[in-house]
Amino acid sequence: MSRIDTADAVVVGGGIVGAFLALRLAEAGVRRVVLCEQARLASHGATSRSGGLLRLHHTVRSDTELAARSLPVFEQWADVIGGDCGYRRTGFLQLVGPEYAQALAANTAVVATAAGPGRTEVLGLDDVRRLYPGLSLDGVAAAAHEPDGGYADPVRAARAATTAARRAGVEVYEGVRVHEVLTASSQQRVTGVKTTVGRISAPLVVLASGAWGTGPAAGLGVQVPVTARRIGLAQARLPDVGRRAGPASVPTCIDDTTGSYFRPDGTDHLYFGVPSHPDVALGHDVAPLTAEEISSALEAVARRVPAVTTAHLTGTRAGLDGYTPDKRPVIGAAGPDGCYLALGFSGGGFKTAPAVADLATAEIVEGQAVAGKAEQDLLRPYRLERFDTGRQIVPEAPYARG
């Protein structure tokens, strides 16, 4: 690594979170930022297997706030980032059963406070049927609607953010894995990283590589409770009856009554999640989705989208993501000076990446003193210390599935 062996910051992980962090650090004046990705950009980790849902509705206020700060970036991507992230405004629905109708109203009110009343509303079921005639609402008691919700293409977004980072001066290393974070002999300060192609000296290292970040952190004596779990996504082509109803007849949706999520893709296809959460070992190939897993997921989605009953499966993806015990990320400084964590997003990193990068960059560049500001209070719930102090994140108005 003779061309560049020193930097002012090294960001580890080339998914959407790492790409945004590298971009924002460079824009904030950090002169030499190196982004290291162990595989091809946005092709190996959670970003490449994300469904790309863009929604504000959550059961934790701080999650809602981060999503509300991030959605405008996706909406105005060409102007604020450049290129195309694949954002499509389909509308978003959160569906719940009767026992969670009050929780849905409470969470919708939080969205309205965070993002403005025009961003969300509780809809009557007749209105839902009118807007989205491709849906069946059997077993649904309440629905929250976000007219600006939808989806984007996670891989396209991550690569566009990386292109913007390059324009800002970031050096991008693909196929370069970080094995170890180096420190001074006193172990009090980060001095760089050891990679598969040599060392990079740097006073700041940001670990944003999902489950893979736990190894380098552990080498610093920092134990991050992030577990690698298998995740799945599939795509089906709707039959003629579904196409006659039109792709727009189905929104982006999370259905708490069946534990499923799905979204259109702008043509005659539908993406849907395939529940698959066994722990997996890093460094091993992730097993493809099984016929039983896909069949079970299709059955759940078909309860909401009847056209799926005779849909033709056209693709699947299996990968892994890093999950914490409370299914929320770890964000903040940890261990020796100069080490910062942004990992363990537990399936929720894509839609909040712009806000996380903005707030984390402010902390890194301006110092922990800014943590007293109102904006930085949003990151307080996500500190690593919560797992040692018994302050794990608990939903204020939970649903059956969190």
Side-chain angles (χ1 to χ4, degrees):
M1 187 167 293
S2 58
R3 186 168 63 91
I4 289 185
D5 59 3
T6 62
D8 293 303
V10 175
V11 177
V12 184
I16 189 70
V17 174
F20 261 106
L21 279 162
L23 170 61
R24 295 311 188 206
L25 286 169
E27 290 177 337
V30 179
R31 293 183 58 190
R32 303 182 75 180
V33 180
V34 173
L35 174 64
C36 291
E37 166 53 41
Q38 64 180 325
R40 293 189 62 197
L41 290 167
S43 66
H44 188 62
T47 296
S48 63
R49 273 74 175 180
S50 170
L53 276 63
L54 295 178
R55 44 117 178 177
L56 307 178
H57 197 102
H58 290 80
T59 58
V60 172
R61 182 179 297 270
S62 54
D63 293 347
T64 300
E65 293 277 359
L66 292 177
R69 287 169 172 261
S70 297
L71 181 58
V73 175
F74 291 102
E75 293 174 320
Q76 304 164 34
W77 189 276
D79 294 328
V80 300
I81 302 297
D84 178 19
C85 69
Y87 167 66
R88 298 296 181 268
R89 182 179 179 271
T90 65
F92 168 79
L93 282 179
Q94 173 76 48
L95 305 177
V96 300
E99 65 271 43
Y100 297 106
Q102 289 186 342
L104 180 133
N107 292 325
T108 303
V110 172
V111 174
T113 299
R119 289 287 198 176
T120 188
E121 59 185 334
V122 175
L123 280 185
L125 298 189
D126 287 342
D127 290 328
V128 174
R129 293 185 183 96
R130 176 179 55 80
L131 284 173
Y132 304 110
L135 292 182
S136 169
L137 299 178
D138 291 345
V140 174
H145 181 236
E146 297 173 16
D148 300 318
Y151 66 90
D153 184 322
V155 172
R156 190 186 304 179
R159 290 176 177 169
T162 304
T163 297
R166 283 191 171 106
R167 289 198 300 267
V170 174
E171 292 280 347
V172 179
Y173 289 6
E174 289 188 86
V176 174
R177 183 171 184 177
V178 171
H179 290 301
E180 181 183 351
V181 180
L182 304 173
T183 62
S185 57
S186 63
Q187 299 289 313
Q188 297 299 309
R189 169 155 286 282
V190 164
T191 59
V193 295
K194 182 185 292 185
T195 80
T196 49
V197 294
R199 297 189 179 196
I200 306 174
S201 298
L204 170 65
V205 174
V206 182
L207 297 177
S209 51
W212 287 275
T214 59
L220 300 173
V222 178
Q223 302 301 319
V224 187
V226 174
T227 300
R229 291 187 178 178
R230 181 164 162 265
I231 56 175
L233 185 70
Q235 184 185 44
R237 178 169 54 83
L238 298 180
D240 290 342
V241 63
R243 289 202 296 271
R244 282 198 295 270
S249 70
V250 177
T252 299
C253 181
I254 294 179
D255 179 13
D256 186 64
T257 70
T258 62
S260 62
Y261 74 84
F262 52 86
R263 68 163 177 84
D265 78 339
T267 60
D268 58 353
H269 284 71
L270 192 77
Y271 279 100
F272 59 95
V274 180
S276 169
H277 302 297
D279 297 351
V280 294
L282 294 175
H284 297 270
D285 290 339
V286 176
L289 299 177
T290 67
E292 292 77 11
E293 289 171 329
I294 296 167
S295 177
S296 178
L298 276 169
E299 183 179 349
V301 174
R303 289 179 57 185
R304 292 290 158 255
V305 186
V308 168
T309 304
T310 54
H312 302 283
L313 193 69
T314 58
T316 69
R317 304 178 200 168
L320 60 84
D321 198 357
Y323 280 73
T324 64
D326 60 12
K327 298 182 180 179
R328 265 73 190 184
V330 174
I331 306 171
D337 290 345
C339 178
Y340 197 93
L341 306 178
L343 41 72
F345 282 85
S346 308
F350 179 66
K351 62 185 173 297
T352 60
V356 167
D358 288 346
L359 296 171
T361 296
E363 281 199 329
I364 292 167
V365 173
E366 299 177 31
Q368 283 295 122
V370 302
K373 294 181 180 180
E375 294 86 359
Q376 296 303 305
D377 285 344
L378 291 176
L379 295 186
R380 288 186 186 276
Y382 306 106
R383 306 305 192 197
L384 177 62
E385 292 79 13
R386 72 184 188 269
F387 298 108
D388 295 325
T389 60
R391 296 182 178 178
Q392 294 188 31
I393 298 172
V394 177
E396 291 99 1
Y399 300 133
R401 294 168 176 83

